[in-house]
Amino acid sequence: MEQLKVLFVDDDLNLGSFVTTILETDYNYKVHFQNTLLGIDSIVQTLMPDIIILDVEIGKENGMDKAQDIIAKYPQIPLLFVSSHTEDDFITKGISIGGNAYLPKPLSIPVLVSYIQRFALKTSLPQIIELANYQLNLRTNEFFYKKQLIKKLSPFEKNALAVLMEHPNEIVTKEQLAEKLWNHSLETHNSASLNNILSKLRDLFKDNSSLKIRNIRGVGYMMNS
């Protein structure tokens, strides 16, 4: 069975080392420990963890603010907050922005593992979007036609294609795609990237006419089925 992947972000090096050792040795999880938010977006994209454990305060940085970005881009990845702040306003904010749970410090490993098992194991099953004999696996980024693998997509390609496949025969604006890909409104420097991503996605359908991605000039794109 494939190891469950955990991304643990906390500025406490001793805690990080302890939790990593326990989870890897006693539970056979694959843990990536990070003690800053530096480069966290690319780490999530590359690792595609089954669950994220995030400290509310990481040095002088606000873990909740970053969590909102992560949850917006990767809503399928469960996220647990951990913190020594146990005030009601911290807990309610963490849950309201999309955290699956809020665990107080000092951490109880059995409690932590119970939450990992509750939320991460649910996502270990593939999440599939199907349209006109095409299947997109949101967990593995694999794209199939009639169950034959076409390509393993980049995270940006997967996210853009997911939006289009979830809204067949509807206009998806460039602003909608920008929000999904970068969690902000479309900016000039992103336009070329977006055009490049859509060009690569069109190539996926060049040998089959059952689906097409149309350019709606000046507005966005439409997937016709």
Side-chain angles (χ1 to χ4, degrees), residues 1-8 28-32 43-53 70 74-80 100 115-127 137-140:
M1 181 180 293
E2 186 177 351
Q3 285 180 297
L4 190 146
K5 294 179 290 185
V6 177
L7 174 59
F8 182 31
N28 195 35
Y29 296 161
K30 182 178 180 181
V31 182
H32 179 98
I43 290 170
V44 174
Q45 289 177 18
T46 301
L47 182 64
M48 287 306 293
D50 295 294
I51 194 164
I52 298 171
I53 304 168
I70 294 172
Y74 306 98
Q76 77 277 17
I77 302 178
L79 187 146
L80 308 178
N100 294 86
Y115 277 101
I116 292 173
Q117 292 177 342
R118 176 182 177 185
F119 293 109
L121 293 183
K122 287 183 179 179
T123 63
S124 63
L125 296 175
Q127 298 182 29
N137 189 315
L138 299 177
R139 294 295 301 163
T140 66

Side-chain angles (χ1 to χ4, degrees), residues 134-175:
Y134 287 93
Q135 302 88 34
L136 174 60
N137 189 315
L138 299 177
R139 294 295 301 163
T140 66
N141 292 12
E142 293 174 321
F143 187 57
F144 300 84
Y145 178 65
K146 293 184 177 180
K147 299 184 179 180
Q148 297 295 314
L149 180 64
I150 298 175
K151 181 183 178 183
K152 184 164 184 176
L153 307 178
S154 72
F156 286 139
E157 291 169 348
K158 184 277 297 288
N159 287 337
L161 183 57
V163 175
L164 292 168
M165 290 182 69
E166 288 172 340
H167 300 86
N169 303 310
E170 298 177 19
I171 295 175
V172 176
T173 68
K174 293 183 179 181
E175 288 290 337

Side-chain angles (χ1 to χ4, degrees), residues 2-150:
E2 186 177 351
Q3 285 180 297
L4 190 146
K5 294 179 290 185
V6 177
L7 174 59
F8 182 31
V9 187
D10 196 296
D11 59 1
D12 187 331
L13 293 174
N14 291 329
L15 177 63
S17 177
F18 172 72
V19 171
T20 298
T21 299
I22 295 295
L23 294 183
E24 291 186 337
T25 303
D26 294 355
Y27 297 93
N28 195 35
Y29 296 161
K30 182 178 180 181
V31 182
H32 179 98
F33 173 65
Q34 177 91 357
N35 70 330
T36 73
L37 290 174
L38 183 65
I40 194 68
D41 292 312
S42 62
I43 290 170
V44 174
Q45 289 177 18
T46 301
L47 182 64
M48 287 306 293
D50 295 294
I51 194 164
I52 298 171
I53 304 168
L54 185 65
D55 193 2
V56 167
E57 287 185 338
I58 303 169
K60 295 182 179 180
E61 298 183 271
N62 189 317
M64 285 195 186
D65 289 344
K66 176 50 66 175
Q68 288 183 289
D69 294 340
I70 294 172
I71 291 168
K73 292 178 183 177
Y74 306 98
Q76 77 277 17
I77 302 178
L79 187 146
L80 308 178
F81 286 111
V82 296
S83 180
S84 56
H85 291 286
T86 57
E87 300 90 337
D88 287 350
D89 56 339
F90 277 88
I91 298 172
T92 55
K93 181 178 179 180
I95 299 302
S96 67
I97 66 175
N100 294 86
Y102 191 107
L103 282 64
K105 292 181 178 179
L107 282 175
S108 162
I109 294 298
V111 171
L112 175 62
V113 170
S114 71
Y115 277 101
I116 292 173
Q117 292 177 342
R118 176 182 177 185
F119 293 109
L121 293 183
K122 287 183 179 179
T123 63
S124 63
L125 296 175
Q127 298 182 29
I128 306 295
I129 299 176
E130 296 190 63
L131 182 65
N133 292 317
Y134 287 93
Q135 302 88 34
L136 174 60
N137 189 315
L138 299 177
R139 294 295 301 163
T140 66
N141 292 12
E142 293 174 321
F143 187 57
F144 300 84
Y145 178 65
K146 293 184 177 180
K147 299 184 179 180
Q148 297 295 314
L149 180 64
I150 298 175

